[in-house]
Structures are given as structure tokens and as C-alpha cells.
């Protein structure tokens, strides 16, 4: 059978399963690279701001708190063994490999994933999705793809930013409370992690972004039954996203630990 | 007096043809073997009581739903067998005015009307702005470009929905309950807009409604769908004068809006007893 973008764009016809949604997103993105006007930069930018930029303050606050907590908790135990100097290593490694990607993703699920599911769900209930179809505008292309690209760009950026803010939290505890010199903290925190530690965190972030936005859009586009349905879809989007993020995190961590 | 239909050539001017259309849910037929044609220039009104399948029929006509069996030929193409791309191409030739407007709440009125133009035409943005103003003037909402749909009344939202449906100058306009929930003055305004679209712009209109005053005001051709024991059948079809003269008791009860008649809203005594004694 001959392959065509059109077969991906309309995979499954009027049905919309989770797998078909992923196929159509892929189809539209590939198609968008070959045809001008499919991927509209202004639409993507507007979603970058709504889904990503506006979530930065909340993600930063959580990252800062985690930096504080990691430094304070580890100082108690490491201090007993006279290993205070390893606190910056622990803070930076924990944030880059695990806590940064995971916590920022969970914040984005709660703030942006739920908002996307509720927004698309309300649009479905108000017949706005139907109106798009009748105007020969594919809802996946017009509503889902800009959100997908925006989060795939923004979640890694937010995670890197969150890691930096978390390191500031650790620095504040180490220097202001424990009297560690700033230069020592910065040197240890920067030298210990390898480039792979950052990359492994970013690979996780890309997978989490995919999980968050596809589940939110899938739940939103499949709303049935009015306001109650929108509430159910929003709850499902948050619960399934967090569940799959943690499962994916376990699988990826295992893969990085045992295989790579 | 009913608007006079344009003289049409019966064979070549058919825009929409429905053949043996059946829609069933769980073995229960909601639409039962419908056959009718809509000709160019007509204002074709589909009427019927609540639950008779009007909205289902409209969803099938715009390609939003596949029927159980039968065919719908729109501009000569069978949309029940059309692929998504073919359907999108056909959809560019008609507009749809939804019951509650279905306006995009996150956009302004102007952006709502501009959307189909931005998506499907290569028109310059300044020209799109001008077309939006023209469409708003057509529906009597000049100066409302920057309002959000939530800032408008129900009647205004319906008029914006009509302006958006007419944005691409379609050949055919579908309208779902365009006057439901409106006061008599606003009903007359919306009816006048429908008439203006058909008479002045030459759009063919298919209107689904149960507002009889409105139906007789705008229709050049009418079709009544039955419910209850005659669920999903065409009870009557013809010009407004033929509908008024039709002696069918179902039709006359509906046209006159009488509570008593063959369209029962309660079970008969026998059926009620049977229902009460039914186990489970």
C-alpha cells in the first residue's frame, strides 16, 4: 500500500482512539514541514505562553522548595559522616536526573494538562469542535498540534530553568545556614554532574511532555455528557498523566541504569 | 404570505438529495427511509416535534454522522461514502449556523468570522477585515468586531453564527433552530436575515425548526417529520400552502400547536396499565 500523509492525517476516520490521536499528530507535524501554513507560528507561540511561560512561577517555587529540602535533609545525615561537601553533588544530581523533570512535569499536569482537557472538553460540549469540522478545519491540526509542539518545547526549557532555581535553593541552605563558600558550592554542583545526567533528565522530560499533552487532548476531545463530562475528563487527564509519568519514569530510569 | 419559490429545473437544480435514509440506535429507527430533494434557491424547512430526529438528520446532512443506510447526495456527491478530504472539499461549499451559535469563546466576534477566511482563502488580512465588517453589517452587528461571544445576547450570538456561516459565501446554508429561545422581535429579525440570505445573496437554505410562525414566514418548501408511532417518517412535504391545506391530523395538530391529538405526550390507558404491570 502506498504511504501518504493523508492516510496519517485521517487515520481511523471519525473514530479517535489514543493511538489514532498520536498518529494524526505525527502526520500533521510531518505534513506541516512540507507545506507552509499548516503549522502557524503565532498559534504555537500563544500556546507556549499559555501552557509554558505562565506555569514558570509555580514550577520555580516548587523547584526552589525542593532545593531547600534536599540540602536540609541531606545535611543532617551527611553532616554526621563529615560528608557535608557532597551536598552540592547530591542536590545537582537529584535535580537533573530525577526530581527536576518529575516535579516540573507534575506541576504542568496540574496546571496546564487539566486546563487543556477542560478547554477542549468545553469546546466539544459547546459544539465548537463540531463547528471546526463543518468549516473543514481539522481540530487535531488546529487545536492539538500547536499545544503539542508548545509543550514539547516548553517542558524541557522549564525543567532546565527549574533545575537552576533548585540549585539556588540548595545554595541558599549551604551558604547561609551551613557557612559553605559560594564558590565551593557552585564548583561542586557544576563539576559533579556529567552531560549525560542533564540529557537523561531531558529525555525523560520529552517523554513526560508527550504523555501530558496527548492524554489531556485525548480526554478533552472525547468528552461526552456536558459539564459533568468535562469534570470527568479533567480528572482523568490529571490522574492518567501522573500515573503514566511515574510508570514512564520507572521504565526510563531502569533503562538508563541497566542498559545505558 | 409565503415567499415565492424561484422557478427551477427539477432535474438539474437539485443541490441536496436524500435517498432511503435510515438511522437506527440499538435497533430503534429514529429516521425511517427518508426521501427528499432540495433545489437551488429554496428555503427548505424541516420541522417536527422534539425527538423526531431533526438534529440527527441535520448532522447526517452536514456529514457529521454516518447514517445506518441510505445516501445523501450533496452537490451531486454522496457524502455518506466520501473520504475525509472529499468531505472537507464539499464542506467549503456550505455553511452551518448552529443552534447556540457554536462561537469560539476564546476569540472575538471578528476573529470568529475571519477564521474560515484565514483557513481557506489566500485573501490579504486587510481584505479579511473588510469582509468581516461586511458580514457584520449584513446581520446588523456593525461595530461588534472586538466583542467576545460571552458579551453578547443569545440573539446576537445567533446572528454572529449566521455571519460566520456566510463568511465563505456558501451556496447552501444549514440552520439549526435559528429562532429557538428568541423573543418575537428577534425571531422576526433572524427570519428576515435568513430571507435576505436566500433572496439577496441567492443562498439555498435548509432550516431545521419547530417554530411554526417562523417556518411559514421563511419557507418555500416544507417537510414534516413524525414522532411517536410515526417516528422518523415524512408526514407531509410541500409548499407552505400545501402544508396548511394537508388534512393529516398529526400535521394539523403540530401546525396549530394543540395539546390534544394523535401526537400524545402521555401513554394511552392500555399502554399505561401494561407499563405499570411490566416486571423489571
Amino acid at each position: 500500500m502506498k504511504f501518504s500523509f493523508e492516510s496519517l492525517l485521517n487515520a481511523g476516520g471519525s473514530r479517535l482512539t489514543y493511538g489514532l490521536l498520536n498518529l494524526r499528530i505525527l502526520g500533521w507535524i510531518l505534513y506541516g514541514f512540507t507545506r507552509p501554513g499548516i503549522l502557524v507560528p503565532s498559534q504555537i507561540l500563544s500556546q507556549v505562553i499559555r501552557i509554558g511561560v505562565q506555569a514558570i512561577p509555580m514550577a520555580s517555587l516548587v523547584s526552589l522548595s525542593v532545593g531547600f529540602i534536599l540540602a536540609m535533609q541531606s545535611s543532617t545525615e551527611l553532616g554526621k559522616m563529615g560528608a557535608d561537601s557532597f551536598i552540592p553533588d547530591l542536590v545537582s544530581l537529584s535535580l537533573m536526573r530525577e526530581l527536576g523533570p518529575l516535579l516540573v512535569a507534575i506541576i504542568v499536569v496540574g496546571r496546564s494538562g487539566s486546563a487543556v482537557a477542560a478547554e477542549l472538553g468545553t469546546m466539544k460540549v459547546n459544539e465548537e469542535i463540531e463547528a471546526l469540522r463543518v468549516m473543514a478545519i481539522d481540530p487535531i491540526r488546529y487545536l492539538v498540534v500547536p499545544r503539542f509542539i508548545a509543550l514539547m518545547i516548553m517542558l524541557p526549557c522549564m525543567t532546565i530553568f527549574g533545575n537552576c532555581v533548585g540549585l539556588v535553593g540548595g545554595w541558599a541552605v549551604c551558604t547561609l545556614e551551613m557557612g559553605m563558600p559560594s564558590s565551593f558550592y557552585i564548583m561542586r554542583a557544576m563539576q559533579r554532574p556529567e552531560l549525560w545526567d542533564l540529557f537523561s533528565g531531558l529525555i525523560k522530560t520529552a517523554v513526560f511532555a508527550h504523555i501530558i499533552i496527548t492524554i489531556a487532548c485525548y480526554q478533552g476531545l472525547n468528552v461526552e455528557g456536558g459539564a459533568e463530562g468535562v469534570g470527568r475528563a479533567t480528572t482523568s487527564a490529571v490522574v492518567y498523566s501522573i500515573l503514566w509519568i511515574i510508570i514512564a519514569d520507572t521504565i526510563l530510569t531502569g533503562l538508563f541504569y541497566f542498559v545505558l | 404570505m409565503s415567499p415565492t419559490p424561484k422557478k427551477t429545473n427539477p432535474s438539474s437544480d437539485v443541490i441536496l438529495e436524500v435517498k432511503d435514509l435510515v438511522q437506527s440506535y440499538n435497533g430503534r429507527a429514529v429516521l425511517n427511509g427518508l426521501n427528499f430533494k432540495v433545489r437551488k434557491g429554496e428555503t427548505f424547512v424541516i420541522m417536527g416535534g422534539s425527538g423526531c430526529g431533526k438534529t440527527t438528520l441535520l448532522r447526517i446532512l452536514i456529514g457529521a454522522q454516518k447514517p445506518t443506510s441510505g445516501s445523501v447526495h450533496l452537490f451531486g456527491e454522496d457524502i455518506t461514502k466520501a473520504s475525509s478530504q472529499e468531505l472537507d472539499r464539499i464542506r467549503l461549499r456550505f455553511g452551518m449556523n448552529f443552534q447556540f451559535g457554536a462561537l469560539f469563546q476564546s476569540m472575538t466576534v471578528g476573529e470568529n468570522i475571519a477564521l474560515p477566511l484565514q483557513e481557506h482563502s489566500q485573501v490579504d488580512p486587510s481584505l479579511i477585515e473588510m469582509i468581516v465588517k461586511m458580514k457584520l453589517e449584513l446581520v446588523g452587528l456593525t461595530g461588534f468586531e472586538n466583542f467576545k461571544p460571552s458579551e453578547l445576547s443569545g440573539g446576537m450570538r445567533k446572528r454572529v453564527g449566521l455571519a460566520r456561516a456566510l463568511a465563505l459565501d456558501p451556496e447552501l446554508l444549514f440552520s439549526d433552530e435559528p429562532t429557538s429561545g428568541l423573543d418575537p422581535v428577534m425571531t422576526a429579525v433572524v427570519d428576515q436575515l435568513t430571507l435576505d440570505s436566500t433572496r439577496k445573496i441567492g443562498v439555498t437554505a435548509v432550516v431545521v425548526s419547530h417554530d411554526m410562525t417562523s417556518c411559514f414566514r421563511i419557507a418555500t418548501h416544507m417537510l414534516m417529520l413524525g414522532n411517536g408511532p410515526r417516528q422518523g417518517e415524512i408526514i407531509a412535504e410541500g409548499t407552505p400552502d400545501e402544508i396548511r391545506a394537508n388534512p393529516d391530523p398529526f400535521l394539523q395538530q403540530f401546525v396549530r400547536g394543540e395539546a390534544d391529538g394523535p401526537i400524545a405526550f402521555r401513554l394511552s390507558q392500555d399502554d399505561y396499565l401494561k407499563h405499570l404491570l411490566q416486571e423489571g
Side-chain angles (χ1 to χ4, degrees):
Chain A
M1 201 174 83
K2 196 186 162 200
F3 172 81
S4 68
F5 282 127
E6 283 74 14
S7 60
L8 273 183
L9 305 183
N10 299 298
S14 58
R15 286 184 306 128
L16 186 68
T17 63
Y18 182 71
L20 290 173
L21 175 70
N22 279 286
L23 269 182
R24 288 188 203 173
I25 292 172
L26 176 70
W28 277 116
I29 291 174
L30 293 175
Y31 195 49
F33 285 125
T34 61
R35 277 271 182 96
I38 299 290
L39 304 175
V40 184
S42 62
Q43 284 177 2
I44 297 170
L45 186 65
S46 126
Q47 292 305 324
V48 161
I49 294 167
R50 287 178 64 193
I51 293 179
V53 175
Q54 289 175 357
I56 285 178
M58 210 186 284
S60 303
L61 186 64
V62 171
S63 299
L64 187 70
S65 306
V66 170
F68 284 141
I69 293 164
L70 277 173
M72 286 189 288
Q73 292 281 21
S74 55
S75 72
T76 320
E77 291 306 311
L78 292 177
K80 285 179 193 167
M81 296 182 279
D84 285 353
S85 58
F86 288 100
I87 296 173
D89 306 41
L90 188 137
V91 172
S92 63
L93 279 176
S94 308
L95 281 170
M96 281 187 193
R97 284 186 190 172
E98 190 59 53
L99 292 175
L102 188 65
L103 290 172
V104 171
I106 288 173
I107 291 296
V108 170
V109 169
R111 193 203 164 276
S112 306
S114 59
V116 167
E119 187 185 5
L120 296 188
T122 308
M123 288 182 80
K124 173 103 187 286
V125 170
N126 290 340
E127 293 184 307
E128 292 175 43
I129 306 277
E130 192 72 54
L132 277 176
R133 286 204 182 97
V134 172
M135 286 191 272
I137 300 171
D138 189 312
I140 308 285
R141 201 257 307 157
Y142 190 74
L143 298 172
V144 177
V145 171
R147 284 165 173 80
F148 180 88
I149 294 174
L151 196 62
M152 293 301 284
I153 294 169
M154 280 312 288
L155 198 62
C157 296
M158 288 165 72
T159 304
I160 292 172
F161 186 74
N163 288 347
C164 296
V165 174
L167 285 172
V168 171
W171 166 84
V173 173
C174 289
T175 55
L176 303 178
E177 208 273 323
M178 295 160 57
M180 188 182 284
S182 288
S183 56
F184 179 78
Y185 177 88
I186 294 167
M187 193 187 70
R188 296 288 306 202
M190 293 294 120
Q191 274 185 350
R192 178 63 187 85
E194 292 168 12
L195 206 52
W196 171 246
D197 293 317
L198 180 66
F199 282 154
S200 67
L202 291 180
I203 291 169
K204 284 182 180 179
T205 303
V207 175
F208 296 164
H210 178 270
I211 289 172
I212 294 168
I213 203 66
T214 49
I215 289 181
C217 291
Y218 174 72
Q219 293 292 341
L221 291 174
N222 280 299
V223 161
E224 296 289 344
E228 192 193 342
V230 175
R232 224 175 12 242
T234 310
T235 310
S236 300
V238 172
V239 171
Y240 287 127
S241 294
I242 292 177
L243 182 72
W244 280 105
I245 281 172
I246 291 171
I247 291 171
D249 193 19
T250 312
I251 294 169
L252 288 171
T253 306
L255 195 71
F256 297 151
Y257 183 78
F258 291 109
V259 181
L260 300 173
Chain B
M1 205 181 89
S2 310
T4 316
K6 287 178 185 172
K7 296 232 178 211
T8 54
N9 176 344
S11 57
S12 65
D13 281 355
V14 174
I15 274 191
L16 171 66
E17 185 172 10
V18 172
K19 285 183 190 166
D20 304 320
L21 190 76
V22 174
Q23 179 64 54
S24 308
Y25 296 111
N26 302 320
R28 180 178 163 266
V30 176
L31 301 173
N32 201 356
L34 302 186
N35 287 285
F36 63 88
K37 289 175 184 173
V38 177
R39 293 191 166 81
K40 199 173 178 182
E42 277 184 339
T43 302
F44 192 97
V45 174
I46 298 167
M47 48 184 192
S50 302
C52 73
K54 298 190 297 288
T55 303
T56 304
L57 174 59
L58 192 61
R59 283 178 57 77
I60 293 170
L61 297 184
I62 61 172
Q65 187 176 329
K66 296 271 184 205
T68 308
S69 66
S71 65
V72 175
H73 290 264
L74 203 49
F75 308 109
E77 294 183 69
D78 186 355
I79 61 165
T80 60
K81 293 188 175 67
S83 68
S84 298
Q85 290 102 318
E86 287 165 343
L87 202 51
D88 280 350
R89 185 172 41 75
I90 296 167
R91 279 171 169 161
L92 294 179
R93 297 177 68 182
F94 69 78
M96 168 76 191
N97 185 15
F98 286 83
Q99 185 174 0
F100 301 107
L103 301 176
F104 304 112
Q105 301 295 318
S106 58
M107 296 181 186
T108 63
V109 164
E111 287 166 347
N112 263 283
I113 300 169
L115 180 65
L117 294 159
Q118 289 163 344
E119 289 289 322
H120 300 301
S121 69
Q122 306 297 321
V123 181
D124 190 70
S126 59
L127 191 55
I128 290 181
E129 206 174 310
M130 201 184 289
I131 296 170
V132 167
K133 284 180 181 166
M134 286 163 65
K135 297 298 172 188
L136 280 173
E137 170 59 21
L138 183 75
V139 297
L141 287 173
T142 301
F144 282 84
E145 292 94 323
N146 297 320
F147 281 63
K148 285 282 177 88
S150 57
E151 295 169 319
L152 304 178
S153 69
M156 287 164 131
R157 278 202 285 267
K158 280 177 190 276
R159 282 146 70 193
V160 176
L162 179 62
R164 188 179 66 183
L166 294 172
L168 289 171
D169 294 328
E171 296 162 60
L172 176 61
L173 172 71
F174 289 103
S175 225
D176 188 10
E177 308 272 10
T179 57
S180 68
L182 299 182
D183 65 61
V185 175
M186 196 48 69
T187 299
V189 168
V190 171
D191 286 346
Q192 191 56 48
L193 289 173
T194 309
L195 286 172
D196 287 347
S197 310
T198 51
R199 287 176 182 172
K200 292 182 185 170
I201 311 174
V203 177
T204 305
V206 174
V207 180
V208 164
S209 179
H210 56 222
D211 178 345
M212 294 317 298
T213 314
S214 173
C215 288
F216 280 108
R217 195 184 284 153
I218 61 173
T220 58
H221 201 92
M222 301 171 99
L223 181 147
M224 163 97 183
L225 286 179
N227 56 2
R230 296 172 72 177
Q231 176 69 46
E233 291 173 20
I234 295 175
I235 287 190
E237 190 190 341
T239 63
D241 290 337
E242 285 168 348
I243 292 290
R244 277 197 197 93
N246 192 314
D248 189 292
F250 265 89
L251 178 66
Q252 287 309 316
Q253 186 193 353
F254 193 80
V255 169
R256 291 183 189 142
E258 291 165 343
D260 295 323
I263 306 172
F265 79 104
R266 284 190 179 133
L267 296 172
S268 67
Q269 202 170 356
D270 288 348
D271 287 344
Y272 184 48
L273 265 176
K274 209 184 287 176
H275 175 70
L276 286 176
L277 297 172
Q278 200 174 25
E279 284 183 22

